[in-house]
Amino acid sequence: MQITFSEPKLPTSGTLVVGVFEENVLTPAAKAADNRLNGALSRAMKAADFTGKARQTAELLAPAGSKLDRIVAIGMGKADAIDALGAEKAGGTLYAKLSKAGGPVTVVVEGVGKAGMRAPEIAAHMAFGLRLRAYRFDKYRTTMKKEDKPRLKKVAFGVKGAAAAKRAYQPLAMIGDGVYFTRDLVSEPANVLYPESFAAEVKALTKLGVKVEVLGEKQMEKLGMGSLLGVGLGSRRESQLVVMQWNGAPKSKKSKPIAFVGKGVTFDTGGISLKPGNGMWDMKWDMGGAGVVSGLMKALAGRKAKVNVIGILGLVENMPDGNAQRPGDVVTSMSGQTIEVLNTDAEGRLVLADALWYTQDRFKPEFMVNLATLTGAIIVALGNVHGGLFSNDDELARRLEAAGKAVDEPIWRFPLHAEYDKAIDSPIADMKNISTAGGAGSITAAQFLQRFVNKVPWAHLDIAGVTWSNKDKPTVPKGATAFGVRLLERLVADHYEA
Ligand code: BES
Ligand code: MN
Ligand code: ZN
């Protein structure tokens, strides 16, 4: 998608898009277009019952007396209520409406008086929303008909203060690149994306100034990561631990880094505790947490965030095999704690146990946030709307909740409690990897992780319900959502940049 900003001018060909605020408060451009067409635009809006409510659209095709192909009115909602999210959703809705349109598209963006956001800001966020909605993963569609593919490739925004709009769009474009990177990783099938090929994709971030180290099985064995390595025993693919570092804080500021850790199970069959066949294909996106951490690092490095950040990925494939670990096996984690593996399908926590321990041990971070498609139980509790939040630190939890709200990636906090913790005590090891008490499956998993954070401020986001979407949303087409990239980028921007 090519997006440009220039000073506003009514186009003489192609598609003209004008914003209309609620109760048909025509912006000056809309009014000018309407006048030129002798009121045809107002009549079309009336005929379509269009009143300017957020995300309504109305269109007028090949208007007489004009060389334009069409004019589209996009509802912007109440003039004084327009905000970044509203503008993004308008932009995304516009993309969905025009994706099959040929020819140039010009969007004229105006603010209305003192109320609400300024026009350059609105334009930048509309462009961002449009780009987010335009994501596609069709590299394997070799016989797709041309008419089924989107034709919209270029959108020009006409806005007073185009230079300011361009400037405001710059960091958003970098966040967009991060979101696209995550969606690409999450969409790839597991025969293409496995631990080594995933690590290779992440290596490309060195071009942006990210330092990337990749640890293989030998190195992890030396570190004593028996918990992570146990999960990969049944796989032909070698497990990997990826360590990314972005050092963007000014040298004068000696602060602890912040750290993000992702579950990267490139395919989860369940292992010997094999999952049923129906729906198992979804487990290609069991690396969603690692995908988000990768996209976040890309976004932060892309916009040269003034912060020191660590990104850690635990990459493994969970397969049944003659060499796979068995239910009842006992493994020793890097922390020294032993784990009785009662269910080989509760593997994400085994991967994160060593990844979290390694992160706090090596980097002594100010905080750690891990992301994981960890439990089916979180989908029972929250469906596909909120992610689950678990934390040992109220301030960090509040900041995460606020960031999620601000970017429309909402999360809901669950409790941690000693009584839940007891449920994973084992009679033959320090702990077992599932509770046999029944109930509270997502909390049990979080309690397990907490045993490996060594009192560092920490939060766990269970994103099993929000990593993949079966329906289109204004700025998120169905498929891989990248839920978490924008949330964490916002967390960093709001609290941790020098
Ligand atoms: N990757 C799954 C969780 C999951 C389920 C993610 C559905 C996305 C959609 C995880 O590894 C898993 O299998 N969890 C088990 C844990 C159980 C064995 C305690 C689950 O949720 O059933
Ligand atoms: Mn599993
Ligand atoms: Zn899993």
CSV table of all heavy atoms in Angstrom, one decimal, residues 72 158 474:
chain,number,residue,atom,x,y,z
A,72,VAL,N,-17.1,9.0,-2.5
A,72,VAL,CA,-17.5,8.2,-1.3
A,72,VAL,C,-17.6,9.1,-0.1
A,72,VAL,O,-16.6,9.8,0.2
A,72,VAL,CB,-16.6,7.0,-1.1
A,72,VAL,CG1,-16.9,6.3,0.2
A,72,VAL,CG2,-16.6,6.0,-2.2
A,158,GLY,N,-5.3,14.2,1.1
A,158,GLY,CA,-5.2,15.6,0.9
A,158,GLY,C,-5.6,16.3,2.2
A,158,GLY,O,-6.7,16.1,2.7
A,474,PRO,N,-12.6,-3.6,11.8
A,474,PRO,CA,-12.3,-2.4,11.0
A,474,PRO,C,-10.8,-2.3,10.6
A,474,PRO,O,-10.4,-2.0,9.5
A,474,PRO,CB,-12.7,-1.2,11.9
A,474,PRO,CG,-13.9,-1.8,12.6
A,474,PRO,CD,-13.6,-3.2,12.9
